[in-house]
Amino acid sequence: MRKIQMVDLQSQYQRLKHDIDAGIQAVIDTAAFVKGPQVTTFGEHLQTYTGAKHVIPVGNGTDALQIALMALGLKPGDEVITPTFTFIATAEVVALLGLTPVVVDVDWETMNISVEAIRKAITPKTKAIVPVHLFGQCADMEAILQLAKEHNLFVVEDACQAIGAQYTFSDGTVKQAGTMGEIGCTSFFPSKNLGCYGDGGALFTNDDELAAKIVCIANHGMQVRYHHDYIGVNSRLDSIQAAILDAKLPHLDEFISARRAAAARYDEAFRDCPQVLIPGRSKVSTHVFHQYTLRVVGANRDEIKAKLNSQDIPAMIYYPIPLHLQKAYQDPRYKEGDFPVAERLSACVLSLPMHTELDNEQLDFIISAVKESF
């Protein structure tokens, strides 16, 4: 049996080696390492895939989130609502810009931000909502967008884990993750469903003016060379990473199908296990399984993880400490116990290996090891 990895990028590379190597070589041959034609081409192809009117590639997903908030013209002290159960980047960029992060609880089943919790957190200072499409499925965007409309708020989607997920509105309209709010953000970190071989990210918007401003901000606030219209940053997807992503993009739906097949094997194996709960599914979003995350409810999560790790199964915990309990984000407004769902999830979630190259032998070994660990 091949070594089990949390994400097997090497095996995936071997399948796509010809196209990836050719793309990298084309960049080297032209020496257009920054802002080469591969970046433009990839952006255009990603527009076609997502249906977004504008795709702006940048340096990474965190930069995408920061640039999005900068483009909206928010001011220090403005409140931005985001879930407390997520990766730190979502709140990090809010704090870095002098804005006020307002964290709220999440839904037990989907682990995505709770719409009711958002509703209760809105104040006159609230200016934006940043829902996170966690682990590969969309938050309840129709309800979130309706709340935003009622209160005149911006919506910035953190779709860094959910590229390719589709949300279906009550009228039957289907939209891709990241294309529903004013701005969407994604990451191309190597472990993502669409990942490069370094850092990378992108912003999506259907607003022409916002798109122009985002492009400007990402380029030192500069539209005409040496004329700086905004305070900006330096964030760009390099040409080699764009070439790699462009080679992978035609296979994204295939990647998603492989992840769903692995998830189905896990679901079948654990559906009737009293010690764990399989990932809850949204009724309005597809799931692309960036992670396959169990909730351990009838056993000690940390002991199970240790037993799996001892058998070279790299189970992981995403995320062990919710944002409101992180040292850097301690706030007198929040205390332990304020967000019981997020705190319970942090104590019981366990993510199993999930990637495009898992074979049946590996899946059977992982499943047996999990069951034997109870």
Side-chain angles (χ1 to χ4, degrees):
M1 183 176 69
R2 291 182 297 116
K3 180 180 179 181
I4 296 173
Q5 301 182 59
M6 201 68 189
V7 181
D8 187 353
L9 296 176
Q10 183 57 240
S11 295
Q12 186 189 76
Y13 164 69
Q14 292 301 326
R15 284 201 292 127
L16 306 177
K17 178 179 170 59
H18 178 271
D19 290 343
I20 290 174
D21 287 358
I24 293 172
Q25 190 62 52
V27 176
I28 295 171
D29 288 344
T30 61
F33 298 112
V34 176
K35 296 184 178 180
Q38 292 81 3
V39 180
T40 301
T41 299
F42 169 65
E44 291 171 350
H45 289 163
L46 193 56
Q47 280 177 225
T48 300
Y49 180 86
T50 61
K53 188 174 183 181
H54 301 280
V55 171
I56 302 98
V58 293
N60 55 69
T62 305
D63 280 2
L65 289 164
Q66 178 174 325
I67 291 165
L69 294 175
M70 293 172 72
L72 294 175
L74 305 185
K75 306 297 183 185
D78 287 347
E79 293 179 353
V80 178
I81 297 174
T82 198
T84 190
F85 185 68
T86 184
F87 183 59
I88 201 68
T90 316
E92 188 174 51
V93 296
V94 176
L96 281 170
L97 293 173
L99 310 173
T100 301
V102 174
V103 296
V104 300
D105 215 342
V106 296
D107 177 74
W108 170 249
E109 285 294 327
T110 66
M111 295 178 266
N112 273 322
I113 193 167
S114 162
V115 175
E116 189 55 36
I118 296 172
R119 189 188 311 276
K120 292 177 179 178
I122 295 172
T123 75
K125 293 184 178 180
T126 307
K127 301 300 179 185
I129 305 168
V130 183
V132 180
H133 302 324
L134 197 69
F135 297 151
Q137 64 182 338
C138 297
D140 190 354
M141 286 301 297
E142 185 162 14
I144 291 169
L145 290 170
Q146 181 59 40
L147 263 183
K149 183 178 180 181
E150 291 171 7
H151 296 274
N152 195 30
L153 307 176
F154 297 114
V155 175
V156 175
E157 294 174 72
D158 181 340
C160 291
Q161 298 184 12
I163 191 166
Q166 295 180 320
Y167 183 94
T168 301
F169 288 82
S170 57
D171 65 359
T173 301
V174 178
K175 296 284 188 181
Q176 289 270 356
T179 67
M180 295 171 275
E182 275 74 26
I183 304 173
C185 305
T186 199
S187 165
F188 302 126
F189 188 77
S191 64
K192 303 298 185 184
N193 291 29
L194 180 63
C196 55
Y197 293 165
D199 274 319
L203 297 96
F204 310 122
T205 186
N206 296 315
D207 185 301
D208 295 343
E209 291 185 9
L210 270 178
K213 191 173 182 181
I214 288 167
V215 169
C216 194
I217 290 172
N219 187 33
H220 297 287
M222 178 174 62
Q223 190 168 18
V224 178
R225 193 168 182 81
Y226 302 127
H227 293 255
H228 303 274
D229 300 325
Y230 303 99
I231 294 174
V233 298
N234 176 28
S235 184
R236 54 202 176 202
L237 181 68
D238 73 67
S239 304
I240 286 179
Q241 303 305 337
I244 293 164
L245 290 165
D246 206 40
K248 284 188 170 189
L249 181 58
H251 302 276
L252 180 54
D253 287 343
E254 170 195 331
F255 295 163
I256 291 170
S257 294
R259 288 172 176 269
R260 286 177 178 156
R265 290 287 297 273
Y266 283 145
D267 280 351
E268 181 65 25
F270 301 127
R271 194 179 306 279
D272 297 321
C273 289
Q275 296 91 344
V276 296
L277 298 175
I278 64 174
R281 307 294 204 274
S282 167
K283 295 179 181 178
V284 288
S285 172
T286 61
H287 205 316
V288 297
F289 292 100
H290 173 59
Q291 302 294 347
Y292 184 90
T293 302
L294 295 170
R295 290 158 291 166
V296 181
V297 294
N300 184 300
R301 185 269 311 273
D302 294 337
E303 288 182 2
I304 292 174
K305 179 180 183 297
K307 289 177 181 179
L308 295 177
N309 291 167
S310 73
Q311 298 179 71
D312 294 325
I313 299 173
M316 299 289 287
I317 298 171
Y318 308 111
Y319 299 95
I321 305 173
L323 300 189
H324 68 284
L325 298 180
Q326 295 283 355
K327 182 178 179 181
Y329 293 86
Q330 288 180 350
D331 190 306
R333 294 173 297 167
Y334 309 126
K335 63 182 184 303
E336 188 171 357
D338 282 351
F339 307 106
V341 177
E343 291 175 29
R344 186 182 178 195
L345 287 171
S346 289
C348 76
V349 291
L350 184 65
S351 296
L352 301 181
M354 172 53 70
H355 54 80
T356 60
E357 310 306 308
L358 282 167
D359 60 37
N360 289 338
E361 183 181 19
Q362 291 174 314
L363 286 165
D364 288 343
F365 183 78
I366 295 165
I367 289 165
S368 295
V370 172
K371 290 183 173 181
E372 291 169 4
S373 70
F374 298 138

